[in-house]
Amino acid sequence: MSTQIKTLSALADSDALRGKRVFIRSDLNVPLQDGKISEDTRVRASVPAIRMALDAGAAVMVTSHLGRPTEGEFSERDSLAPVAQRLSELLGMPVELRRNWLDGVVVEPGQVVLLENCRCNVGEKKNNLELAQKMAALCDVYVNDAFGTAHRAEATTEGIARYAPVACAGPLLQAELEALGRALHEPKRPLVAIVGGAKVSTKLSILQALADKVDQLVVGGGIANTFMLASGLPIGKSLAEPAQVDEAKAVIELMKQRGAEVPVPMDVVCATHFAEDAPASTKAADQVTAEDMILDVGPQTAEQIADIIRQAGTVVWNGPLGVFEFPAFAHGTEVLAKAIAESDAFSIAGGGDTLAAIARFGIAEQVGYISTGGGAFLEFLEGKRLPAVAVLQDRA
């Protein structure tokens, strides 16, 4: 691993966990509907670390945040109870849920308990020193296996790692860092980044950082509309950020200086209003009227993007090209997804909408690595040091 940090797998292999109390910070922040888990990817992704610690003879405690509870207040809505039930099924053993756990946890080797929503503890989000020390006192070994929260310095992601006797990365975090490192630090060229979604401002620093590293930058969604504005094209009443036009021009210029470009859509799919049943019309990019709302890239643009993917050595994908949830405006994202699926390039994808698109077009098996993180994925791409990873590096 390029960023030298201790790993749970190495500790398990060396028999260093037998009889030890292991505290695992997982990412079990799953969507719930009527009190039931509607999508359990994150719970399934957390199982290997728990199983690894149990098999090595440890007494295991697991915690996570869920939703956005108010610190110091607990309601059933914020409870990890549905997660405890699903974990019991996946592990084939009882997983007891513990409420007030800060003052001590009784757990035996070979047992696993789930500690209630860590964001209900006062001081969690502000990375309170005393809270972090109190949690560190519960364990012999702290394991961070929650890449999705690695960009946040919180008590269960960063503080506890400073004070626990041993701090290490779980298999999920380890795999994320290796895949992202491979995509960014030693990529097979050409390196292509696709950045889609609604807002430029939230992703602008990422675009600027990527413009420095990638051989080809592809923009989609509302971001592409802002780049169309920057190129002097009409966008009607499409979602865009006119205030970011100068920044978009700067990204285009930066790529040009490196002999690369940001392909701006040649054709687009429009509707007069935002609705699933809105009639779709395909038109050349310079033919967009004042009444039009761009909801997808057109077939020519989609094909141009697919062609860029076919020539890539490494592909990093974050964000769809259009409103793929509406069938009439899903074509661009579907062509992109299939091009990535058929490509020989090493591909890495992350972000909530991207994962939804991967599921929708059934290409999960063909993507090189699917990242569990949204914000953490983007900050890593930007070259920022993730607090929860930095502390593990410092400890090692």
Side-chain angles (χ1 to χ4, degrees), residues 22-43:
V22 173
F23 184 112
I24 303 176
R25 171 56 157 105
S26 297
D27 182 0
L28 304 168
N29 186 26
V30 289
L32 297 174
Q33 237 168 355
D34 307 321
K36 290 191 169 57
I37 297 172
S38 54
E39 209 285 316
D40 72 348
T41 304
R42 285 179 168 166
V43 186

Side-chain angles (χ1 to χ4, degrees), residues 55-69:
D55 289 350
V60 183
M61 300 163 267
V62 182
T63 195
S64 171
H65 70 290
L66 179 71
R68 300 188 172 178

